[in-house]
């Protein structure tokens, strides 16, 4: 029987969790804010441009998350090596992840360029398709950069040094605003692209980020980086290490893809209802996506802390880390729910001046209240399991909950009943509720298995 966590241990682990999670949170906010900035600036052009950017984002963002999900397996692999006091393995793990990232980046570029061919098949209105197509062509050039950046970010965060990533993410976000303006309005000889210009701006920002982080990790003299430098004596691709990365990472990527695509495909499912319904959905989704950055940042910090304890084979510390993370998950969800309820008008007003879009978005935000706890709970359980290198079963749980249950339910409610866009949000709640239950059962099983193994 494992003793419950003491208040002293809870404070200690909370401090460690906060030190890791806060810089990650700023990074997540900055990355998510790129999409929010796109939505705001495209929405200032027209509701049509906002709807097109929403559709384009609904296609490319799940692919982006699939790629980064595969590559963030670098974090638990490095974390395990550090927990086992095998710091000399860190450069090799990072190098093999970079080889993998190069291939994934090229594949992603090709797929995003081909994606406009499916817009008609998905029932996207013809007036939205040209802008969405231009947006996708532009953003595709950033795909190789985001893949490499995912590895460099995992490397920094696994070394418990997330601060450089945070600073560079802030720089990227600040650069995105003027770049968007240039390509939307055609300044300095650039073509006037409207909302589609956000795609080009995003691609440029992704390359700025990876070049800055690559330069930092190469030249910094900080001990954690200097003792694990990976750009020197770069090894050839190693099938064993790459297979280990992919075995762990592909289920992570697919799990994130299933969840993210459920949210992102909402714009495509709702688009036959018209530009107003699609735009209001995008506004509500943008708000909740920003709030989601808080629990997912805690989950990423938990992955690091759990992977270290997993490498040490310290079951007591492992369970105390898990308990600390889940307590904070519940507290964060409660604060988010209260915040949404109190500030719905202001949140909707920040994204659009259209009265009809604003009214519909405020209504959808009521449904967002219901799933805050479920969403935060399931993403943190998944982060814990990831740190324990358990990713395959969570992948199947995600597939079942999101694509077999929630997505068909959402399509049915939106397109075959009169409930409108809110039907998709009802389906989201259902999928997240199921996922939180099934992943909790999986964690309990893994805890019992490790107790039997480690004693």
């Amino acid at each position: 029987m494992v003793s419950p966590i003491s208040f002293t241990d809870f404070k200690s682990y909370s401090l460690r969790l906060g030190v890791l999670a806060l810089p990650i949170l700023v990074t997540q906010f900055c990355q998510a804010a790129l999409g929010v900035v796109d939505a705001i600036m495209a929405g200032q052009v027209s509701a049509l441009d906002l709807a097109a950017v929403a559709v384009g984002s609904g296609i490319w963002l799940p692919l982006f998350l699939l790629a980064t999900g595969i590559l963030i397996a670098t974090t638990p692999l490095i974390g395990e090596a550090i927990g086992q006091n095998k710091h000399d393995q860190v450069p090799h793990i990072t190098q093999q992840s970079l080889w993998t990232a190069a291939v994934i980046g090229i594949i992603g570029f090709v797929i995003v360029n081909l994606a406009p061919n499916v817009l008609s098949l998905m029932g996207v209105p013809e007036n939205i398709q040209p802008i969405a197509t231009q947006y996708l062509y532009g953003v595709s050039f950033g795909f190789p950069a985001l893949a490499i950046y995912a590895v460099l970010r995992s490397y920094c965060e696994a070394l418990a040094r997330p601060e450089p990533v945070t600073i560079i993410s802030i720089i990227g976000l600040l650069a995105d605003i003027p770049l968007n303006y240039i390509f939307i309005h055609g300044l300095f000889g650039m073509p006037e692209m409207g909302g589609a210009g956000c795609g080009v701006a995003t691609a440029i920002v992704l390359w700025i980020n990876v070049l800055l982080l690559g330069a930092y990790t190469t030249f910094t003299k900080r001990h954690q980086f200097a003792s694990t430098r990976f750009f020197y004596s770069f090894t050839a691709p190693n099938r064993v290490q790459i297979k280990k990365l992919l075995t762990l990472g592909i289920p992570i990527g697919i799990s994130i893809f299933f969840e993210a695509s459920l949210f992102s495909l909402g714009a495509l499912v709702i688009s036959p209802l018209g530009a107003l319904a699609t735009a209001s959905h995008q506004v509500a989704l943008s708000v909740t996506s920003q709030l989601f950055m808080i629990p997912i940042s805690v989950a990423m910090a938990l992955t690091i802390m759990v992977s270290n304890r997993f490498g040490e084979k310290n079951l007591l510390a492992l369970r105390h880390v898990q308990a600390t993370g889940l307590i904070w998950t519940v507290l964060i969800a409660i604060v988010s729910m209260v915040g949404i309820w109190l500030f719905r008008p202001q949140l909707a007003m920040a994204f659009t001046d259209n009265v009809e879009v604003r009214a519909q978005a405020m209504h959808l935000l009521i449904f967002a209240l219901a799933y805050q706890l479920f969403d935060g709970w399931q993403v943190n359980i998944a982060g814990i399991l990831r740190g324990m290198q358990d990713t395959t079963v969570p992948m199947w749980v995600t597939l079942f909950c999101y694509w077999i249950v929630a997505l068909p339910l959402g399509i049915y409610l939106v397109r075959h009943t009169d409930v409108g866009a809110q039907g998709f949000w009802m389906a989201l709640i259902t999928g997240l509720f199921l996922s939180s239950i099934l992943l909790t059962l999986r964690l309990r099983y893994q805890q019992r298995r490790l107790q039997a193994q480690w004693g």
Side-chain angles (χ1 to χ4, degrees), residues 80-112:
E80 180 189 25
I82 291 172
Q84 295 173 342
N85 201 28
K86 297 179 179 178
H87 292 76
D88 59 308
Q89 293 184 1
V90 173
H92 178 68
I93 294 171
T94 307
Q95 290 167 3
Q96 299 309 309
S97 294
L98 286 169
W99 284 117
T100 309
V103 175
I104 290 176
I106 294 170
I107 294 173
F109 169 78
V110 173
I111 292 175
V112 175

Side-chain angles (χ1 to χ4, degrees), residues 57-69 104 108 111-113 115 136 143 146 257 260-261:
S57 298
I59 292 175
W60 103 275
L61 284 178
L63 294 171
F64 158 74
L65 292 169
L66 172 63
T68 55
I104 290 176
I111 292 175
V112 175
N113 268 279
L136 288 168
F143 215 100
L146 73 87
F257 174 81
S261 60

Side-chain angles (χ1 to χ4, degrees), residues 15-16 22 77 93 116 127 139 147 179 194 199 215 246 254 281 316 345 350 354 356 392 440:
L15 179 61
R16 178 62 175 161
L22 286 176
L77 291 175
I93 294 171
N127 61 338
V139 81
L179 286 170
L246 293 177
I254 292 176
H281 166 78
L316 180 62
N354 188 299
E356 292 180 86
T392 301
T440 300

Side-chain angles (χ1 to χ4, degrees), residues 72-81 83-84 158 244 248 252 298-314 318 321-322 379-392 394 443 446 449-450 454:
I72 63 172
T74 306
T75 299
L77 291 175
I78 293 177
E80 180 189 25
Q84 295 173 342
K244 186 175 181 180
L248 184 62
I252 297 175
V298 175
M300 295 173 77
L302 279 174
T303 297
I304 298 168
M305 295 176 66
V306 168
S307 65
N308 293 154
R309 306 293 88 76
F310 184 78
E312 295 171 354
K313 296 187 177 181
N314 187 334
L318 183 67
V321 167
Q322 294 169 2
V379 77
N380 277 281
I381 295 289
I384 290 168
L385 291 171
R386 198 171 298 146
M388 299 163 70
Q389 300 190 14
D390 179 18
T391 59
T392 301
L443 178 59
Q446 286 289 55
R449 183 181 67 82
L450 291 180
W454 298 347

Side-chain angles (χ1 to χ4, degrees), residues 248-442:
L248 184 62
I250 288 176
I252 297 175
I254 292 176
S255 296
I256 295 174
F257 174 81
F258 285 147
E259 181 179 359
S261 60
L262 174 66
F263 285 84
S264 297
L265 287 174
L268 300 177
V269 174
I270 294 170
S271 62
L273 300 179
L276 286 176
T278 306
S280 63
H281 166 78
Q282 185 63 22
V283 169
L285 185 62
S286 296
V287 171
T288 56
S289 295
Q290 286 293 295
L291 288 174
F292 180 66
M293 294 305 103
I294 303 174
I296 200 174
S297 299
V298 175
M300 295 173 77
L302 279 174
T303 297
I304 298 168
M305 295 176 66
V306 168
S307 65
N308 293 154
R309 306 293 88 76
F310 184 78
E312 295 171 354
K313 296 187 177 181
N314 187 334
L315 182 60
L316 180 62
L318 183 67
R319 297 192 70 163
H320 285 175
V321 167
Q322 294 169 2
T324 301
L326 294 176
I327 290 170
W328 279 109
T329 295
V330 174
L331 296 174
I332 289 166
I334 293 171
V335 172
S336 296
M337 293 166 71
V338 173
I340 291 175
W341 177 257
L342 293 177
F343 299 106
R344 283 182 302 127
Q346 292 84 353
L347 292 169
M349 195 179 303
F351 287 88
T352 180
D353 295 327
N354 188 299
V355 176
E356 292 180 86
V357 172
R358 203 159 60 207
Q360 291 185 40
M362 287 174 58
H363 179 68
L364 293 179
L365 283 171
I366 295 176
F367 290 87
L369 288 172
Y371 73 70
Q372 291 301 306
L373 178 59
F374 302 139
D375 202 13
W377 186 270
Q378 64 85 25
V379 77
N380 277 281
I381 295 289
I384 290 168
L385 291 171
R386 198 171 298 146
M388 299 163 70
Q389 300 190 14
D390 179 18
T391 59
T392 301
V393 170
M395 175 189 71
W396 292 114
V397 168
T398 306
L399 170 63
F400 171 74
C401 294
Y402 301 149
W403 276 52
I404 295 178
V405 175
L407 184 58
L409 178 61
I411 293 172
Y412 172 77
L413 291 175
V414 170
R415 299 191 176 184
H416 301 286
T417 73
D418 58 357
V419 299
Q422 69 185 32
F424 196 84
W425 289 73
M426 295 174 183
L428 290 177
I429 295 168
T430 303
L432 292 168
F433 175 70
L434 283 175
S435 177
S436 63
I437 292 174
L438 294 177
L439 288 176
T440 300
L441 293 174
R442 178 61 180 178

Side-chain angles (χ1 to χ4, degrees), residues 12-64:
S12 175
Y13 286 122
S14 294
L15 179 61
R16 178 62 175 161
L17 186 66
V19 168
L20 285 173
L22 286 176
I24 294 174
L25 174 61
V26 176
T27 299
Q28 290 297 117
F29 269 129
C30 289
Q31 290 194 346
L34 292 175
V36 176
V37 168
D38 287 353
I40 292 174
M41 298 185 75
Q44 290 173 348
V45 178
S46 70
L48 180 64
D49 283 82
L50 175 57
V53 170
V55 169
S57 298
I59 292 175
W60 103 275
L61 284 178
L63 294 171
F64 158 74

